[in-house]
Amino acid sequence: MFLILLYTLYSILLQLEAKRILAIFPLNEKSHNNVLDALAIGLAKRGHQIDVITHFEKKNPPVNYKTIINLNGTRDDFVNNLTIEYCTKQTDDSIPFYAFTAGNEICNLMSLKSMQKVIQNPKVYDLVITEVFGANCYIGFGYIFKIPVVTVATNLGLSWTGDGVGSPTATATFADVLMDKYEILTFWDRLKNTMISQISKYRFFSYTEKAQTEAIRKYLNPNIPNIREIEKIVALTFVNSYHNPFGIRALTPGMIEIGGLHIEGNNEKLSPDLERWMNESTHGVIYFSLGSMVLIETLQENSLLSIYQVFSKISPMRVLMKIVDKKKLPSGIPKNIRIPSWIPQIPVLKHRNTKLFITHGGMLGIQEALYYQIPVIGIPLYGDQFRNIATLTSKNVAVEINYKNITRESLTEALTTILNDTKYKEAVIYESKLFRDRPMKAMDTAIFWVEYVMRNGATTLRSPAVNMHWWQAELLDVYGFISLCCIITTYSLIFLLKKIIQITFKLVRNTKEDDKKYN
């Protein structure tokens, strides 16, 4: 009886503290949604009422989690729908994708009747949560509702991710997400890193400023400020990273790392048939997936045939490979390869028989591999994947293969290296320990700071750098002034020294002339 009374009292107190949160997840990429939705579910389980706008409606959500707008069908479906050719076109230049496909075009979803109903007749919300990636226009909901905004970067964070809270890019020490390496060691590394960071930011801003300003004035409020000013109202930014192993960088209190948050509460299960197959794979399983969007079967045919040849030779070890359309594969699939169209990734990586993960290097996949101590063969295709795989290779957790060079020789060498050299398993165990070793779990950290913002207001974590130009925050004006003072001082000293020398020579000459005159 006492326990029931105590639980009832706790439930009442929890409801009194509960807040109503609007979670807007307008990008139709499932991996991004996995992080955002994990946070929303964590807050719902905490007792808050979460109203969600998403492309991926949750099955069997918590009681106080509600999808108020299902955006499914409003955009082309990316899930299991991208070819290798499409992805690699983004390799040389990802900024147009971020700015247009994942940015300006996403802002136009605010024109939907269902979205306008929320905008014109809002409930009383205490907070907005949205992604900081390309469509920063959704930060404007916080402005019109006059409530704090929390943004979430589902990757390491792009060069503009921390601007809303005034967090520095720190290009002297931390590799930009679009760099192809992890360590910044030389002058040329710093130069390249800074150029990539600043040029990316400049191009993103130039592509989005006019379009997204017009969108928020058209769909939210005609008197709303410029999008660059709207971005400055952010109260808190979460970044899907952690300093081990992804790199130490300077962060303001308003930018907080929550890498691995989507793993902790994951409750996916293997199907009975797949679980049986995994359990029976006592010689080990290699898991091969290029994520939720990219189709392995669109690799070049010679690459696929090389994969067949190599995998057939490692039997009785088995391979679990995500293939959406079996008809696109060449004939002759080895018997030790299983090719389901969808695989619950975390339960597979968690399984005791999984020995190796072959991946494109998406941030979620490599975090899951680290968490469950699985070495990696990386085949990066675009965006942050090159930097992600470079991070793991530098830690002896991964081996990289160029997607243009998937041959029998390259794949055999990579498999032999990872499976036979114990340093890779030892390294991933060590890095996993560092990745997990924190004062608080990622979800507890996120919930604490969300509630902190709702308790204490939108400006408590915001750096003064938010209202400064980048050259002011980087002290270029100060260093320029000091340099100018040094130049002026040096010039003045040289000028004065010349005058002293001239006067001295003149006095000496006059003295000699006087001596001659009187002698």
Side-chain angles (χ1 to χ4, degrees):
M1 184 68 181
F2 175 73
L3 290 176
I4 295 174
L5 183 63
L6 191 64
Y7 178 77
T8 303
L9 181 61
Y10 172 76
S11 299
I12 293 171
L13 290 173
L14 198 61
Q15 290 175 1
L16 289 173
E17 293 180 359
K19 303 290 185 181
R20 182 177 289 273
I21 297 171
L22 178 62
I24 310 174
F25 310 147
L27 183 62
N28 51 320
E29 291 195 21
K30 186 168 179 57
S31 58
H32 290 236
N33 188 79
N34 287 345
V35 177
L36 299 164
D37 202 48
L39 175 59
I41 290 171
L43 288 165
K45 289 180 177 178
R46 175 75 176 187
H48 301 293
Q49 176 62 49
I50 314 296
D51 289 353
V52 184
I53 299 173
T54 180
H55 295 268
F56 304 96
E57 187 167 2
K58 187 75 176 175
K59 295 179 181 179
N60 303 316
V63 175
N64 46 336
Y65 172 112
K66 182 180 180 182
T67 299
I68 59 170
I69 301 177
N70 185 349
L71 296 173
N72 184 35
T74 60
R75 299 278 296 163
D76 291 338
D77 192 358
F78 283 159
V79 176
N80 286 335
N81 207 26
L82 299 188
T83 65
I84 298 294
E85 182 182 7
Y86 175 87
C87 294
T88 53
K89 283 181 179 178
Q90 316 300 325
T91 299
D92 295 331
D93 189 5
S94 301
I95 301 302
F97 175 83
Y98 300 147
F100 298 111
T101 308
N104 301 347
E105 295 175 18
I106 298 293
C107 293
N108 290 326
L109 293 176
M110 290 189 290
S111 67
L112 297 171
K113 289 183 180 180
S114 54
M115 197 80 81
Q116 283 297 307
K117 185 178 179 180
V118 172
I119 293 166
Q120 300 299 330
N121 303 288
K123 297 178 181 178
V124 178
Y125 289 110
D126 299 289
L127 186 81
V128 170
I129 298 175
T130 192
E131 185 173 12
V132 54
F133 188 64
N136 293 349
C137 50
Y138 288 90
I139 297 170
F141 277 74
Y143 180 88
I144 64 169
F145 294 165
K146 296 180 174 54
I147 55 176
V149 178
V150 171
T151 58
V152 183
T154 58
N155 54 17
L156 283 174
L158 294 155
S159 54
W160 54 87
T161 294
D163 284 7
V165 291
S167 202
T169 51
T171 56
T173 55
F174 187 79
D176 187 89
V177 70
L178 297 180
M179 277 284 280
D180 56 358
K181 62 187 304 183
Y182 162 71
E183 294 175 300
I184 305 299
L185 301 175
T186 68
F187 166 80
W188 300 110
D189 290 340
R190 296 197 305 275
L191 177 63
K192 181 180 178 181
N193 196 38
T194 301
M195 294 294 287
I196 287 174
S197 177
Q198 293 301 329
I199 291 173
S200 297
K201 185 186 294 190
Y202 172 79
R203 291 180 63 211
F204 177 80
F205 284 173
S206 65
Y207 294 158
T208 60
E209 183 162 359
K210 181 180 178 182
Q212 295 199 20
T213 298
E214 289 176 353
I216 58 178
R217 288 176 178 169
K218 182 178 181 180
Y219 302 126
L220 294 180
N221 187 314
N223 299 315
I224 201 168
N226 179 286
I227 186 65
R228 299 286 88 88
E229 292 301 312
I230 287 299
E231 289 164 350
K232 295 178 182 179
I233 72 169
V234 172
L236 171 67
T237 293
F238 291 127
V239 59
N240 187 29
S241 176
Y242 195 63
H243 56 267
N244 284 316
F246 300 107
I248 294 172
R249 58 179 158 181
L251 296 172
T252 64
M255 189 166 176
I256 295 168
E257 295 182 314
I258 56 166
L261 171 138
H262 74 286
I263 304 172
E264 295 171 354
N266 184 277
N267 57 5
E268 287 182 290
K269 303 290 183 183
L270 296 172
S271 67
D273 183 50
L274 182 55
E275 184 172 19
R276 187 181 313 110
W277 186 87
M278 291 290 297
N279 290 340
E280 292 171 352
S281 303
T282 54
H283 290 89
V285 173
I286 294 173
Y287 172 48
F288 186 5
S289 171
L290 298 181
S292 60
M293 299 186 295
V294 185
L295 302 169
I296 293 175
E297 56 267 36
T298 61
L299 284 166
Q300 294 289 330
E301 184 173 348
N302 59 342
S303 296
L304 290 169
L305 291 173
S306 295
I307 289 169
Y308 285 5
Q309 291 172 343
V310 174
F311 286 163
S312 66
K313 290 181 179 180
I314 63 172
S315 182
M317 181 174 271
R318 289 174 165 181
V319 179
L320 185 62
M321 185 161 65
K322 185 172 82 70
I323 300 294
V324 176
D325 189 351
K326 301 175 185 179
K327 296 176 183 178
K328 292 182 179 179
L329 289 175
S331 59
I333 301 172
K335 293 181 180 180
N336 64 327
I337 299 180
R338 181 170 177 147
I339 51 171
S341 59
W342 189 259
I343 299 170
Q345 185 159 284
I346 289 179
V348 168
L349 292 172
K350 187 178 180 179
H351 196 279
R352 65 184 181 278
N353 287 336
T354 302
K355 305 301 180 185
L356 173 64
F357 182 25
I358 303 177
T359 172
H360 62 321
M363 178 52 74
L364 271 63
I366 64 171
Q367 287 182 354
E368 291 156 10
L370 276 171
Y371 199 88
Y372 292 113
Q373 302 178 357
I374 306 297
V376 165
I377 291 177
I379 309 174
L381 300 172
Y382 63 95
D384 64 339
Q385 295 163 14
F386 296 93
R387 203 272 197 196
N388 294 343
I389 294 299
T391 301
L392 297 193
T393 56
S394 72
K395 308 284 187 181
N396 290 324
V397 169
V399 170
E400 180 178 342
I401 298 178
N402 189 313
Y403 72 92
K404 297 178 182 178
N405 187 40
I406 301 177
T407 64
R408 184 173 58 186
E409 292 75 20
S410 65
L411 187 54
T412 299
E413 182 181 359
L415 283 171
T416 302
T417 300
I418 291 284
L419 295 175
N420 294 344
D421 191 338
T422 58
K423 76 176 183 181
Y424 289 91
K425 186 62 178 178
E426 291 168 358
V428 78
I429 290 171
Y430 175 72
E431 294 298 336
S432 178
K433 178 189 173 192
L434 293 180
F435 184 59
R436 288 176 174 234
D437 194 359
R438 315 181 190 194
M440 295 172 66
K441 289 184 177 181
M443 182 63 75
D444 293 337
T445 299
I447 290 173
F448 172 84
W449 287 109
V450 166
E451 292 179 340
Y452 177 93
V453 166
M454 290 191 290
R455 287 195 303 269
N456 299 307
T459 61
T460 51
L461 300 173
R462 193 178 300 152
S463 166
V466 170
N467 297 314
M468 300 171 72
H469 296 291
W470 70 269
W471 46 269
Q472 292 174 317
E474 299 290 344
L475 294 176
L476 293 188
D477 52 345
V478 173
Y479 293 134
F481 177 76
I482 292 171
S483 298
L484 182 61
C485 289
C486 290
I487 291 168
I488 291 172
T489 302
T490 302
Y491 177 81
S492 299
L493 289 172
I494 292 171
F495 179 81
L496 182 60
L497 184 58
K498 282 184 177 180
K499 286 296 182 183
I500 291 172
I501 291 171
Q502 287 173 359
I503 292 171
T504 301
F505 275 111
K506 186 175 181 179
L507 289 173
V508 170
R509 188 172 61 251
N510 290 342
T511 301
K512 288 181 178 180
E513 290 176 356
D514 289 342
D515 288 343
K516 288 179 182 179
K517 183 177 179 180
Y518 291 107
N519 293 322

